[in-house]
Amino acid sequence: MKQELIYEGKAKQLYASSNQGEVIIHYKDDATAFNGIKKASIENKGILNNAISTRIYRYLGEHGIRTHYLETLNESDQRCLAVTIIPLEVIVRNVAAGSFSKRLQVEEGTPLQHVVFELCYKNDDLGDPLINDDHALALGIATEADLAQIRAMTFSINQLLIQLFLQCSIELIDFKIEFGKTASGELVLADEISPDSCRLWDMESHEKLDKDRFRRDLGKVQEAYQEILDRLIGVLDK
Ligand code: UDP
C-alpha cells in the first residue's frame, strides 16, 4: 500500500510502501528539459510512460535482465524494488543525435560505426557532466565491478531494445538508463525507459516520436508517445 512521499523528481514521485524493501513509483504528466529550464505538463504523459515503461521492463525481464520492476498497480503507479540509485546516467548511442552531434559536429541521423557508451554524473547543480570510468572511480560513485556489470548489462539492453523497436518499425537512436542496488547489494536496472529517455524515430519517415518533440517545440508530443505505446502493444500484447 502507498504510504508517505519519499522523493519527488521531475517526472515521477516515489512513495514508501507497506511492503518491506519496496517502493511505489508514480508517473506524473510533468516534463522538463535543458536541466529543468523548460517546463510543461503534457496531458496523459504519466499514463503513457507508465504503460510504455511497464511493457519494456516486462520484455527486458523476460529476456534475463534484472530490474527493479515488480508490478503495475494502476494507470499511473508501479510497484518496484527499493534501490539506492547509482548517480550515473548511462547513455547508449547507435546513431548520432543531441549532445553528441552538437559536441562533435556530426550531423544528426549519421549512423555510428561503433556503439557509443557514455557516462554522465547525475548531478543537476553541475548539469550532469560527461565523465569517464576513472572519474566515477575517483569520486567513489561506483566500483570497478559495478562499472563492468553496468557496461555488460547496458550492451545487452541495447541489443534487446533495438530488436524490440525494430519490430515496431522504430529506430532506436539513443537512450539513457540508470542502475540501482537493492538491499541485498544486487545491481539492477532502475528508473523508466520511455520516450522521455530514448530517441525513437519512425523507420520509414524518420519522424521523431520522443521527447525531442517537446524539447524542440515540434508539437504533437502526446500523439507521438501514444504512437509508441500502440506499436509496442501491437508487438508485445499478443
Ligand atoms: N537523456 C535523458 N535524460 C537526461 C539526458 C539525456 O533521458 O538528463 C536521454 C535523451 O532523451 C537521449 C539520450 O539520453 O535519448 C542522449 O541525450 P543527449 O546526451 O543527446 O542529451 P540532450 O540532447 O537530450 O541534451
Side-chain angles (χ1 to χ4, degrees):
M1 215 180 65
K2 204 165 173 177
Q3 295 183 328
E4 78 277 6
L5 180 68
I6 305 173
Y7 172 81
E8 175 136 20
K10 292 171 197 148
K12 293 186 293 297
Q13 290 173 325
L14 196 67
Y15 289 89
S17 162
S18 48
N19 294 355
Q20 185 78 23
E22 295 183 9
V23 290
I24 289 168
I25 297 179
H26 174 80
Y27 283 70
K28 302 193 290 180
D29 288 343
D30 297 348
T32 64
F34 313 118
N35 202 15
I37 292 168
K38 180 168 177 165
K39 287 191 188 128
S41 176
I42 299 166
E43 205 186 334
N44 282 330
K45 184 172 78 82
I47 293 173
L48 289 165
N49 277 354
N50 183 32
I52 293 167
S53 201
T54 289
R55 284 172 176 77
I56 293 175
Y57 265 81
R58 284 183 188 151
Y59 164 81
L60 292 173
E62 284 161 11
H63 288 81
I65 304 294
R66 304 283 295 163
T67 82
H68 73 154
Y69 175 82
L70 296 170
E71 182 190 10
T72 299
L73 297 170
N74 55 52
E75 61 179 19
S76 303
D77 296 322
Q78 287 180 12
R79 191 163 74 81
C80 292
L81 289 174
V83 298
T84 305
I85 291 285
I86 296 178
L88 288 175
E89 300 207 327
V90 180
I91 293 173
V92 176
R93 301 180 186 277
N94 297 305
V95 175
S99 66
F100 180 94
S101 288
K102 200 170 168 194
R103 209 160 53 85
L104 301 174
Q105 292 292 295
V106 180
E107 196 184 343
E108 281 211 327
T110 308
L112 299 172
Q113 295 171 41
H114 181 84
V115 175
V116 173
F117 174 90
E118 282 178 6
L119 295 177
C120 292
Y121 177 29
K122 200 170 139 70
N123 183 319
D124 281 341
D125 294 340
L126 302 179
D128 300 339
L130 183 65
I131 59 169
N132 66 21
D133 284 31
D134 287 328
H135 293 110
L137 294 170
L139 295 174
I141 293 171
T143 65
E144 276 193 70
D146 292 336
L147 292 174
Q149 208 183 335
I150 286 173
R151 196 177 167 99
M153 284 176 76
T154 299
F155 281 116
S156 301
I157 292 164
N158 186 39
Q159 286 312 312
L160 288 165
L161 292 182
I162 287 173
Q163 282 170 34
L164 173 62
F165 284 117
L166 184 64
Q167 294 175 68
C168 302
S169 289
I170 286 167
E171 192 174 8
L172 177 63
I173 305 298
D174 59 27
F175 62 94
K176 184 269 302 181
I177 48 178
E178 296 182 22
F179 291 86
K181 287 248 179 106
T182 64
S184 62
E186 191 190 1
L187 187 79
V188 293
L189 177 68
D191 198 38
E192 71 186 280
I193 300 183
S194 74
D196 272 7
S197 61
C198 304
R199 284 196 170 93
L200 304 166
W201 294 4
D202 180 81
M203 202 83 89
E204 301 298 318
S205 66
H206 304 294
E207 188 187 4
K208 293 175 175 44
L209 298 171
D210 57 56
K211 195 173 162 185
D212 274 344
R213 299 206 73 83
F214 166 68
R215 292 189 190 100
R216 302 178 188 188
D217 296 320
L218 301 176
K220 297 205 169 144
V221 184
Q222 192 192 331
E223 288 84 347
Y225 284 46
Q226 183 70 56
E227 181 68 27
I228 296 294
L229 176 60
D230 291 345
R231 293 196 200 183
L232 285 171
I233 287 174
V235 170
L236 296 170
D237 295 20
K238 284 167 204 141

